[in-house]
Amino acid sequence: MRRGIAAAVAVTAFTISASACSSDSSGSDNAGPVTITWWDTSDATNEAGTYKALVKEFEKANPDIKVKYVNVPFGDAQTKFQTAAGSKGAPDVLRADVGWTPGFAKSGFLTPLDGTPAATEADKFEKNLIEQAAYEDKLYGVPQVTDTLGLMYNRELFTEAGIKEPPATWADLKADMATIKEKTGVDGFAFNPQAYYVMPFLFGENTDMVDARDQKITLNSPAAVEGVDTLNDLLKAPGVRKLDTTSNAYANIMDAFSSGKVAAIVQGPWENANVFKGSAFKDKENLGIAPVPAGSKGQGAPLGGHNLVAYAGSDEAHQKASQKFIAFMTSAASQEKVAVTNGTLPTRKDAYSVKVVSNPGIDGYEDLLAGGVPRQPLPEYSSLYTPLETHLIKIISGQEDTAGGLDKAAAEAKRLLPDYSTS
């Protein structure tokens, strides 16, 4: 998962130029190297350079394969790929959010990777991440990077406020916010009002947006109401930063935390590199990483990340080249380089080398992965974030009451899942 979850599920039409897509005929008649196209959805400023360098390494090791690298903004990529795949012009390989994989597979856009060179080391990967890359018992992606949400906190500010341990529950965080504000003058906590960041509040009440096994929408269940009420209560407490619902909310919150104007946020490891650029974290050891606080029924955070998937519309030569490329990009050596340079989490245990875990951000989040809640294997799952976010903002802004707002969100979810019942 990454910046702007809501943008990842927006439905907007885009036209893709043929030059950016696959179906390059080079190599199909054995006249020369095969050229495959890869759409990379990583951050163009802070992450893409590492992947471009790996592409060059791959081409050097595989002179019969050329890779056409295209960086596609994450917020646009889902719809762009759907449009391109529907017209048989998609890239050979896509860096896909884990939430997109089931939907693309159901639509027939992806080719299974079981038994191919791309998946020969599948047993090296975290088991729950492989599960997230599968749909209907077939593997459609290989996990490239992973993430989960944790509580990022400023150790120096916590110490200055006399707080020795990170909060274990939302009630603890509520108390700590007030103490930090009183003792340091700094806001204790800031919340990003996107649906993805409310998931720990739902998991803390042992619920989710939907129950795919029982075919039931649970967005408006009593447990979900309790979870959102917990969040709403927290946001009204002393020491919380004023709620930001502008289009720049995400960047504003990150700037405030990185510069030491906010003591704690709920965030993922994809922001490690940016955080360490901030004035408050010149000493990387000042960054604390803890599990998201627990609700009344327990603790949990969404497990996210990105898979490398292969387009089903490519010919045999491009499929084979794509499989080699996916294997290379998800190898332990490649993942180690990405982790060291970009500060993101590897998806396989053998990539957590001494160099990788020397980054306190990675070391901290690695410990949280075991508690991550896998995405349900439902093609429409990611689309459920849209109605949840629409009404979440209205609820925490005081425009709707919790139960009424979640009832509306569930009704909108019902349009996506007409065969599902609601709470």
Side-chain angles (χ1 to χ4, degrees):
M1 240 23 219
R2 288 191 12 204
R3 303 150 291 277
I5 300 298
V9 295
V11 181
T12 308
F14 290 89
T15 302
I16 311 302
S17 68
S19 64
C21 300
S22 62
S23 302
D24 189 309
S25 61
S26 176
S28 59
D29 59 357
N30 297 319
V34 173
T35 298
I36 61 172
T37 298
W38 176 38
W39 280 9
D40 172 28
T41 59
S42 71
D43 182 89
T45 302
N46 299 304
E47 298 176 342
T50 306
Y51 293 120
K52 290 178 182 178
L54 283 172
V55 165
K56 291 182 179 179
E57 287 187 28
F58 173 78
E59 290 179 329
K60 184 176 181 180
N62 298 271
D64 57 334
I65 302 173
K66 298 297 181 184
V67 179
K68 189 173 187 176
Y69 174 93
V70 182
N71 186 271
V72 180
F74 177 79
D76 299 341
Q78 184 182 21
T79 301
K80 284 188 172 184
F81 185 81
Q82 288 171 330
T83 301
S87 61
K88 303 296 183 183
D92 301 285
V93 179
L94 171 72
R95 183 180 186 261
D97 182 271
V98 295
W100 306 344
T101 305
F104 289 163
K106 182 181 179 181
S107 297
F109 296 156
L110 307 181
T111 187
L113 298 175
D114 308 86
T116 73
T120 53
E121 295 188 327
D123 60 335
K124 304 286 187 181
F125 293 78
E126 297 284 352
K127 184 178 179 181
N128 52 3
L129 302 183
I130 288 293
E131 290 176 3
Q132 284 198 145
Y135 178 66
E136 294 187 341
D137 298 323
K138 291 183 179 180
L139 186 67
Y140 284 96
V142 180
Q144 183 190 36
V145 295
T146 188
D147 59 65
T148 189
L149 290 177
L151 186 76
M152 280 187 172
Y153 66 98
N154 186 314
R155 293 182 185 275
E156 185 177 307
L157 288 173
F158 269 59
T159 299
E160 186 178 342
I163 301 171
K164 296 181 179 180
E165 299 289 340
T169 67
W170 296 118
D172 292 340
L173 176 60
K174 184 177 177 181
D176 288 347
M177 286 193 312
T179 300
I180 290 170
K181 186 68 173 180
E182 178 185 356
K183 300 289 187 180
T184 70
V186 170
D187 291 328
F189 179 71
F191 179 72
N192 185 357
Q194 292 180 316
Y196 193 66
Y197 294 87
V198 79
M199 298 310 296
F201 292 89
L202 300 186
F203 295 151
E205 303 306 326
N206 196 30
T207 192
D208 199 334
M209 297 187 293
V210 66
D211 184 336
R213 185 187 63 183
D214 293 339
Q215 291 196 316
K216 186 175 184 179
I217 295 167
T218 55
L219 272 172
N220 60 335
S221 65
V225 170
E226 185 173 355
V228 175
D229 274 341
T230 298
L231 168 62
N232 213 6
D233 182 61
L234 180 70
L235 296 180
K236 295 175 182 177
V240 68
R241 191 173 183 83
K242 183 180 177 181
L243 183 64
D244 187 346
T245 58
T246 68
S247 59
N248 292 323
Y250 186 101
N252 293 340
I253 290 168
M254 291 311 306
D255 287 344
F257 179 70
S258 299
S259 62
K261 296 176 183 176
V262 169
I265 57 173
V266 172
Q267 190 54 280
W270 56 85
E271 284 293 350
N272 279 339
N274 285 331
V275 168
F276 290 140
K277 292 178 182 178
S279 58
F281 299 97
K282 291 180 179 179
D283 177 1
K284 293 183 178 181
E285 297 298 330
N286 190 39
L287 178 63
I289 306 293
V292 293
S296 66
K297 298 295 191 300
Q299 185 272 343
L303 194 63
H306 294 81
N307 301 321
L308 291 186
V309 300
Y311 176 46
S314 299
D315 62 27
E316 183 179 0
H318 288 78
Q319 288 284 349
K320 290 182 177 180
S322 297
Q323 292 161 11
K324 283 186 178 181
F325 180 66
I326 290 173
F328 177 87
M329 295 298 286
T330 58
S331 68
S334 293
Q335 289 201 33
E336 179 186 33
K337 290 177 182 178
V338 171
V340 169
T341 307
N342 293 355
T344 51
L345 270 66
T347 58
R348 44 192 295 166
K349 294 179 180 179
D350 54 354
Y352 283 89
S353 64
V354 174
K355 288 176 64 177
V356 170
V357 298
S358 66
N359 181 323
I362 294 178
D363 189 36
Y365 276 104
E366 181 191 8
D367 295 337
L368 307 185
L369 289 177
V373 180
R375 199 81 54 93
Q376 294 190 49
L378 181 68
E380 297 84 1
Y381 188 91
S382 291
S383 297
L384 297 176
Y385 286 126
T386 298
L388 173 57
E389 184 166 315
T390 297
H391 294 282
L392 171 68
I393 291 176
K394 292 180 179 180
I395 291 168
I396 61 182
S397 299
Q399 301 172 46
E400 294 179 346
D401 66 277
T402 305
L406 292 181
D407 279 342
K408 292 177 182 178
E412 292 173 23
K414 176 78 171 172
R415 297 172 197 163
L416 297 168
L417 299 166
D419 295 332
Y420 277 49
S421 63
T422 56
S423 298

